[in-house]
Amino acid sequence: MASDRPELRPRSGAARWLRLAIAGAALAACAAATCAYAKKPAPSELPALFAALEKADAVVEGSGSPARVLYVFFDANCWYCHLTWKALQAYERAGLQVRWVPVAFQKESSTPKAAAIMQAKDRAAALRENELGYKPESYDGGIAPAKPSKALEAQLEANFELMDRFGVSGTPGLVWKDEKGRVRVKLGMPRLSQLPAITGLPAQKIDDPELREFR
């Protein structure tokens, strides 16, 4: 299903910005919420992983006093992350808070674009610039790259490893706690019909033509 496809990442940290030549075949083999080669954590591990995720530095969008917080691992060049961002805007206006946790593996420009977002004075505005200027023809985020600090490079590496520990093999990777406090993990952009369950909010009107196929 197109809506559940993640942007797959290489397993090697040294080559993570390279696009996979076999991405099409891998996507075909990828299940809705995980991929065959991703190690899914045991349920008992999830609370500790979630506690670590809560400490991760992130771009915060949406409500300042939300009923639910949604974490999203994203790459600034990721097409499905871009579509997820668009789909969640209406839910942010309705009371959701989204914490966008950056990783960088898709392209050589992913790290400097993450730097432009995370090192900005207004991270939410920088993320918005990246998404509003997204170039679907080349799968490029719209923000101008910036030189990453050593601290940011270490942060991106730590986020990448945390994403892996959640069993998430690509982006976007969504993590949240449901109404019973259970940690939930989803790989790939959800169907629009799944967003109320993920966000804990009533269905919101989404009429963006780019999202029509994800209903």
Side-chain angles (χ1 to χ4, degrees):
M1 293 189 301
S3 62
D4 287 320
R5 289 179 180 174
E7 298 288 348
L8 294 180
R9 62 171 174 78
R11 299 293 282 179
S12 169
R16 66 185 49 170
W17 60 81
L18 297 177
R19 299 186 64 80
L20 293 180
I22 59 168
L27 285 172
C30 191
T34 190
C35 288
Y37 56 81
K39 183 181 178 181
K40 188 175 180 179
S44 60
E45 297 177 278
L46 288 173
L49 288 174
F50 193 86
L53 182 58
E54 289 181 302
K55 297 176 183 177
D57 201 11
V59 182
V60 180
E61 282 192 320
S63 175
S65 54
R68 181 170 297 180
V69 175
L70 174 64
Y71 292 85
V72 183
F73 290 103
F74 80 102
D75 185 299
N77 289 317
C78 167
W79 167 242
Y80 289 111
C81 299
H82 167 66
L83 295 178
T84 300
W85 179 85
K86 295 182 81 173
L88 289 174
Q89 294 305 293
Y91 287 88
E92 289 182 5
R93 291 191 292 271
L96 176 70
Q97 184 179 104
V98 183
R99 298 181 186 177
W100 299 89
V101 180
V103 294
F105 66 89
Q106 282 212 346
K107 291 187 173 185
E108 205 166 347
S109 66
S110 291
T111 294
K113 286 183 180 180
I117 295 170
M118 297 303 292
Q119 294 171 183
K121 290 183 179 179
D122 187 337
R123 290 176 175 178
L127 176 62
R128 190 170 190 84
E129 178 183 346
N130 187 71
E131 302 309 324
L132 291 179
Y134 192 89
K135 302 174 181 64
E137 66 279 2
S138 58
Y139 301 108
D140 284 304
I143 200 166
K147 184 177 180 180
S149 66
K150 293 296 184 183
L152 179 67
E153 289 181 341
Q155 176 193 340
L156 293 173
E157 179 67 25
N159 292 347
F160 190 83
E161 295 304 322
L162 182 58
M163 185 173 80
D164 190 68
R165 290 171 65 197
F166 270 105
V168 175
S169 58
T171 52
L174 285 67
V175 185
W176 70 98
K177 282 187 175 180
D178 65 17
E179 67 281 356
K180 295 183 179 179
R182 296 171 297 193
V183 178
R184 300 293 192 181
V185 181
K186 178 168 179 54
L187 170 62
M189 180 182 170
R191 292 283 179 183
L192 301 186
S193 60
Q194 296 174 314
L195 291 179
I198 291 172
T199 64
L201 292 166
Q204 302 297 304
K205 182 179 180 181
I206 299 175
D207 52 14
D208 190 310
E210 280 192 326
L211 301 175
R212 189 176 297 120
E213 67 175 287
F214 305 117
R215 296 189 185 281

